[in-house]
PDB file of all heavy atoms in Angstrom:
ATOM      1  N   PHE A  13      58.742  62.067 -25.362  1.00  0.00           N
ATOM      2  CA  PHE A  13      57.394  62.215 -25.896  1.00  0.00           C
ATOM      3  C   PHE A  13      57.058  63.682 -26.169  1.00  0.00           C
ATOM      4  O   PHE A  13      56.388  64.002 -27.146  1.00  0.00           O
ATOM      5  CB  PHE A  13      56.378  61.602 -24.920  1.00  0.00           C
ATOM      6  CG  PHE A  13      56.368  60.105 -24.948  1.00  0.00           C
ATOM      7  CD1 PHE A  13      57.316  59.371 -24.252  1.00  0.00           C
ATOM      8  CD2 PHE A  13      55.421  59.427 -25.693  1.00  0.00           C
ATOM      9  CE1 PHE A  13      57.317  57.982 -24.293  1.00  0.00           C
ATOM     10  CE2 PHE A  13      55.405  58.040 -25.743  1.00  0.00           C
ATOM     11  CZ  PHE A  13      56.360  57.316 -25.046  1.00  0.00           C
ATOM     12  N   GLU A  42      52.370  48.425 -32.218  1.00  0.00           N
ATOM     13  CA  GLU A  42      52.599  49.563 -33.097  1.00  0.00           C
ATOM     14  C   GLU A  42      52.895  50.859 -32.355  1.00  0.00           C
ATOM     15  O   GLU A  42      53.376  51.813 -32.962  1.00  0.00           O
ATOM     16  CB  GLU A  42      51.365  49.765 -33.984  1.00  0.00           C
ATOM     17  CG  GLU A  42      51.089  48.577 -34.896  1.00  0.00           C
ATOM     18  CD  GLU A  42      49.790  48.717 -35.649  1.00  0.00           C
ATOM     19  OE1 GLU A  42      48.941  49.542 -35.206  1.00  0.00           O
ATOM     20  OE2 GLU A  42      49.614  48.029 -36.665  1.00  0.00           O
ATOM     21  N   ARG A  43      52.608  50.915 -31.059  1.00  0.00           N
ATOM     22  CA  ARG A  43      52.780  52.160 -30.313  1.00  0.00           C
ATOM     23  C   ARG A  43      53.481  51.887 -28.986  1.00  0.00           C
ATOM     24  O   ARG A  43      53.428  50.786 -28.433  1.00  0.00           O
ATOM     25  CB  ARG A  43      51.429  52.832 -30.050  1.00  0.00           C
ATOM     26  CG  ARG A  43      50.646  53.145 -31.318  1.00  0.00           C
ATOM     27  CD  ARG A  43      49.370  53.896 -31.050  1.00  0.00           C
ATOM     28  NE  ARG A  43      49.601  55.299 -30.701  1.00  0.00           N
ATOM     29  CZ  ARG A  43      49.803  56.263 -31.586  1.00  0.00           C
ATOM     30  NH1 ARG A  43      49.806  55.993 -32.879  1.00  0.00           N
ATOM     31  NH2 ARG A  43      49.994  57.516 -31.198  1.00  0.00           N
ATOM     32  N   VAL A  44      54.157  52.923 -28.487  1.00  0.00           N
ATOM     33  CA  VAL A  44      54.805  52.897 -27.178  1.00  0.00           C
ATOM     34  C   VAL A  44      54.005  53.820 -26.263  1.00  0.00           C
ATOM     35  O   VAL A  44      53.499  54.857 -26.683  1.00  0.00           O
ATOM     36  CB  VAL A  44      56.271  53.371 -27.276  1.00  0.00           C
ATOM     37  CG1 VAL A  44      56.905  53.462 -25.891  1.00  0.00           C
ATOM     38  CG2 VAL A  44      57.064  52.416 -28.164  1.00  0.00           C
ATOM     39  N   TYR A  45      53.898  53.432 -24.989  1.00  0.00           N
ATOM     40  CA  TYR A  45      53.060  54.167 -24.049  1.00  0.00           C
ATOM     41  C   TYR A  45      53.883  54.761 -22.911  1.00  0.00           C
ATOM     42  O   TYR A  45      54.808  54.120 -22.388  1.00  0.00           O
ATOM     43  CB  TYR A  45      51.998  53.244 -23.453  1.00  0.00           C
ATOM     44  CG  TYR A  45      51.018  52.729 -24.479  1.00  0.00           C
ATOM     45  CD1 TYR A  45      51.286  51.561 -25.196  1.00  0.00           C
ATOM     46  CD2 TYR A  45      49.831  53.407 -24.753  1.00  0.00           C
ATOM     47  CE1 TYR A  45      50.399  51.080 -26.153  1.00  0.00           C
ATOM     48  CE2 TYR A  45      48.933  52.935 -25.705  1.00  0.00           C
ATOM     49  CZ  TYR A  45      49.220  51.778 -26.391  1.00  0.00           C
ATOM     50  OH  TYR A  45      48.352  51.313 -27.339  1.00  0.00           O
ATOM     51  N   PHE A  46      53.509  55.981 -22.534  1.00  0.00           N
ATOM     52  CA  PHE A  46      54.107  56.648 -21.378  1.00  0.00           C
ATOM     53  C   PHE A  46      52.968  56.938 -20.401  1.00  0.00           C
ATOM     54  O   PHE A  46      51.987  57.593 -20.750  1.00  0.00           O
ATOM     55  CB  PHE A  46      54.806  57.942 -21.787  1.00  0.00           C
ATOM     56  CG  PHE A  46      55.497  58.636 -20.649  1.00  0.00           C
ATOM     57  CD1 PHE A  46      56.752  58.222 -20.232  1.00  0.00           C
ATOM     58  CD2 PHE A  46      54.889  59.691 -19.990  1.00  0.00           C
ATOM     59  CE1 PHE A  46      57.392  58.852 -19.180  1.00  0.00           C
ATOM     60  CE2 PHE A  46      55.514  60.328 -18.931  1.00  0.00           C
ATOM     61  CZ  PHE A  46      56.772  59.910 -18.530  1.00  0.00           C
ATOM     62  N   VAL A  74      57.341  53.705 -18.915  1.00  0.00           N
ATOM     63  CA  VAL A  74      57.174  53.453 -20.343  1.00  0.00           C
ATOM     64  C   VAL A  74      56.905  51.961 -20.524  1.00  0.00           C
ATOM     65  O   VAL A  74      57.554  51.126 -19.892  1.00  0.00           O
ATOM     66  CB  VAL A  74      58.430  53.865 -21.131  1.00  0.00           C
ATOM     67  CG1 VAL A  74      58.283  53.496 -22.604  1.00  0.00           C
ATOM     68  CG2 VAL A  74      58.677  55.358 -20.997  1.00  0.00           C
ATOM     69  N   PHE A  75      55.942  51.621 -21.374  1.00  0.00           N
ATOM     70  CA  PHE A  75      55.680  50.203 -21.624  1.00  0.00           C
ATOM     71  C   PHE A  75      55.244  50.012 -23.076  1.00  0.00           C
ATOM     72  O   PHE A  75      54.994  50.966 -23.805  1.00  0.00           O
ATOM     73  CB  PHE A  75      54.642  49.634 -20.644  1.00  0.00           C
ATOM     74  CG  PHE A  75      53.271  50.257 -20.714  1.00  0.00           C
ATOM     75  CD1 PHE A  75      52.218  49.595 -21.330  1.00  0.00           C
ATOM     76  CD2 PHE A  75      53.014  51.492 -20.129  1.00  0.00           C
ATOM     77  CE1 PHE A  75      50.947  50.152 -21.386  1.00  0.00           C
ATOM     78  CE2 PHE A  75      51.749  52.060 -20.170  1.00  0.00           C
ATOM     79  CZ  PHE A  75      50.715  51.390 -20.807  1.00  0.00           C
ATOM     80  N   GLY A  76      55.194  48.738 -23.474  1.00  0.00           N
ATOM     81  CA  GLY A  76      54.910  48.433 -24.879  1.00  0.00           C
ATOM     82  C   GLY A  76      56.132  48.610 -25.750  1.00  0.00           C
ATOM     83  O   GLY A  76      56.028  49.068 -26.894  1.00  0.00           O
ATOM     84  N   VAL A  77      57.299  48.210 -25.229  1.00  0.00           N
ATOM     85  CA  VAL A  77      58.560  48.523 -25.912  1.00  0.00           C
ATOM     86  C   VAL A  77      59.291  47.288 -26.436  1.00  0.00           C
ATOM     87  O   VAL A  77      60.446  47.382 -26.824  1.00  0.00           O
ATOM     88  CB  VAL A  77      59.513  49.311 -24.968  1.00  0.00           C
ATOM     89  CG1 VAL A  77      58.897  50.635 -24.588  1.00  0.00           C
ATOM     90  CG2 VAL A  77      59.860  48.488 -23.725  1.00  0.00           C
ATOM     91  N   LEU A  80      61.079  47.593 -29.667  1.00  0.00           N
ATOM     92  CA  LEU A  80      62.280  48.427 -29.600  1.00  0.00           C
ATOM     93  C   LEU A  80      63.491  47.599 -29.190  1.00  0.00           C
ATOM     94  O   LEU A  80      64.609  47.819 -29.658  1.00  0.00           O
ATOM     95  CB  LEU A  80      62.074  49.559 -28.593  1.00  0.00           C
ATOM     96  CG  LEU A  80      61.212  50.745 -29.037  1.00  0.00           C
ATOM     97  CD1 LEU A  80      61.061  51.723 -27.874  1.00  0.00           C
ATOM     98  CD2 LEU A  80      61.824  51.455 -30.236  1.00  0.00           C
ATOM     99  N   ARG A  88      51.884  41.943 -29.222  1.00  0.00           N
ATOM    100  CA  ARG A  88      51.916  42.138 -27.774  1.00  0.00           C
ATOM    101  C   ARG A  88      52.035  40.791 -27.061  1.00  0.00           C
ATOM    102  O   ARG A  88      51.399  39.806 -27.434  1.00  0.00           O
ATOM    103  CB  ARG A  88      50.645  42.847 -27.307  1.00  0.00           C
ATOM    104  CG  ARG A  88      50.423  44.224 -27.915  1.00  0.00           C
ATOM    105  CD  ARG A  88      51.504  45.197 -27.515  1.00  0.00           C
ATOM    106  NE  ARG A  88      51.203  46.545 -27.997  1.00  0.00           N
ATOM    107  CZ  ARG A  88      52.072  47.543 -27.978  1.00  0.00           C
ATOM    108  NH1 ARG A  88      53.299  47.346 -27.522  1.00  0.00           N
ATOM    109  NH2 ARG A  88      51.724  48.749 -28.413  1.00  0.00           N
ATOM    110  N   LEU A 101      50.231  58.795 -22.688  1.00  0.00           N
ATOM    111  CA  LEU A 101      50.670  59.329 -23.967  1.00  0.00           C
ATOM    112  C   LEU A 101      51.117  58.134 -24.799  1.00  0.00           C
ATOM    113  O   LEU A 101      51.852  57.278 -24.297  1.00  0.00           O
ATOM    114  CB  LEU A 101      51.852  60.289 -23.793  1.00  0.00           C
ATOM    115  CG  LEU A 101      51.570  61.746 -23.458  1.00  0.00           C
ATOM    116  CD1 LEU A 101      52.888  62.487 -23.262  1.00  0.00           C
ATOM    117  CD2 LEU A 101      50.764  62.414 -24.567  1.00  0.00           C
ATOM    118  N   SER A 102      50.677  58.050 -26.029  1.00  0.00           N
ATOM    119  CA  SER A 102      51.143  56.974 -26.898  1.00  0.00           C
ATOM    120  C   SER A 102      51.693  57.568 -28.189  1.00  0.00           C
ATOM    121  O   SER A 102      51.201  58.591 -28.674  1.00  0.00           O
ATOM    122  CB  SER A 102      50.020  55.982 -27.199  1.00  0.00           C
ATOM    123  OG  SER A 102      49.064  56.542 -28.075  1.00  0.00           O
ATOM    124  N   ALA A 103      52.719  56.920 -28.711  1.00  0.00           N
ATOM    125  CA  ALA A 103      53.359  57.406 -29.936  1.00  0.00           C
ATOM    126  C   ALA A 103      53.754  56.209 -30.794  1.00  0.00           C
ATOM    127  O   ALA A 103      54.028  55.129 -30.280  1.00  0.00           O
ATOM    128  CB  ALA A 103      54.597  58.240 -29.594  1.00  0.00           C
ATOM    129  N   PRO A 104      53.794  56.388 -32.124  1.00  0.00           N
ATOM    130  CA  PRO A 104      54.232  55.304 -33.005  1.00  0.00           C
ATOM    131  C   PRO A 104      55.626  54.832 -32.637  1.00  0.00           C
ATOM    132  O   PRO A 104      56.517  55.642 -32.324  1.00  0.00           O
ATOM    133  CB  PRO A 104      54.226  55.950 -34.393  1.00  0.00           C
ATOM    134  CG  PRO A 104      53.251  57.078 -34.275  1.00  0.00           C
ATOM    135  CD  PRO A 104      53.412  57.594 -32.877  1.00  0.00           C
ATOM    136  N   ILE A 105      55.819  53.540 -32.667  1.00  0.00           N
ATOM    137  CA  ILE A 105      57.087  52.967 -32.217  1.00  0.00           C
ATOM    138  C   ILE A 105      58.259  53.479 -33.063  1.00  0.00           C
ATOM    139  O   ILE A 105      59.378  53.656 -32.555  1.00  0.00           O
ATOM    140  CB  ILE A 105      57.009  51.427 -32.228  1.00  0.00           C
ATOM    141  CG1 ILE A 105      58.143  50.832 -31.391  1.00  0.00           C
ATOM    142  CG2 ILE A 105      56.995  50.875 -33.642  1.00  0.00           C
ATOM    143  CD1 ILE A 105      57.940  49.382 -31.058  1.00  0.00           C
ATOM    144  N   VAL A 108      59.496  56.803 -31.603  1.00  0.00           N
ATOM    145  CA  VAL A 108      60.245  56.628 -30.353  1.00  0.00           C
ATOM    146  C   VAL A 108      61.641  56.096 -30.671  1.00  0.00           C
ATOM    147  O   VAL A 108      62.643  56.551 -30.109  1.00  0.00           O
ATOM    148  CB  VAL A 108      59.504  55.669 -29.412  1.00  0.00           C
ATOM    149  CG1 VAL A 108      60.311  55.431 -28.145  1.00  0.00           C
ATOM    150  CG2 VAL A 108      58.125  56.226 -29.057  1.00  0.00           C
ATOM    151  N   MET A 122      66.097  54.205 -20.679  1.00  0.00           N
ATOM    152  CA  MET A 122      65.037  53.249 -20.934  1.00  0.00           C
ATOM    153  C   MET A 122      65.396  51.890 -20.346  1.00  0.00           C
ATOM    154  O   MET A 122      64.558  51.216 -19.724  1.00  0.00           O
ATOM    155  CB  MET A 122      64.808  53.121 -22.438  1.00  0.00           C
ATOM    156  CG  MET A 122      63.698  52.173 -22.831  1.00  0.00           C
ATOM    157  SD  MET A 122      62.077  52.938 -22.820  1.00  0.00           S
ATOM    158  CE  MET A 122      62.164  53.912 -24.337  1.00  0.00           C
TER     159      MET A 122
END
Side-chain angles (χ1 to χ4, degrees):
F13 285 81
E42 298 173 341
R43 302 184 74 82
V44 175
Y45 296 88
F46 183 81
V74 176
F75 62 104
V77 297
L80 283 177
R88 300 296 186 191
L101 275 177
S102 72
I105 197 165
V108 177
M122 181 85 75

